[in-house]
Amino acid sequence: MLAAATAATAAFGVGLALRPGSAPQPESAVAQVRAELASNYYRPLSKRVLARPTVPGIIAALHDRYTNYLTPSEYRVAHRAFVGGYGGIGVTVLPAIHGLLVRRTMSGPARVAGIRPGDTIMAVDGASTAALSFDEAMGRILGRPGSRVTLRVLRNGRPLEFRLVRHAFRLPIVSTRLVGKVGVIHLRSFSHRSAHTMQSAVRR
């Protein structure tokens, strides 16, 4: 699956993320990446590039900083920015030594369950967050609204477990304020709704 994603730095990137195949014996990740690049890349690629034996090797041979391979969890994080919404639990987190440090909670499943700022999320559905990249760990918390996720949390040296049901959230795209007689518009992210939301804010 070829996906366009917008990063926080407002740089546009192209990612390849895999969906589970429905065939009894699905293609390997390498074969899927080769097929996607051969049919959808912006320029023809040589057989030498496509013959590389690993996904990182193929991507490196492109010499293209805007093309990257995303795991399904990393893709969910990138897709969240593009669509302007996500299924999650309502927390803002930062990377920490033992996992993900909860910086704040918003109205949603995490706050209702009792997760607090200062807690550390050590595992998501049994997978240690300390052993994963930040985007990979974040992507495992995200998921379809209504689906369940289990978190192991550390609070004051004491491990706790929370079973949560993901909720649908919308990302704030635009914020506005008046400074005297001047209207100030802050565009927070680029998504498929950014242009329409920006136009509405200018009219308002």
Side-chain angles (χ1 to χ4, degrees), residues 156-171:
N156 298 325
R158 178 187 170 201
L160 303 170
E161 188 171 282
F162 296 88
R163 293 181 175 88
L164 309 175
V165 177
R166 295 180 178 96
H167 177 71
F169 292 90
R170 302 299 301 179
L171 291 174

Side-chain angles (χ1 to χ4, degrees), residues 3-7 70 73-83 135 142:
T6 306
L70 305 179
S73 294
E74 291 168 335
Y75 174 74
R76 283 193 288 271
V77 174
H79 188 64
R80 177 184 65 165
F82 179 70
V83 300
D135 280 353
L142 303 177

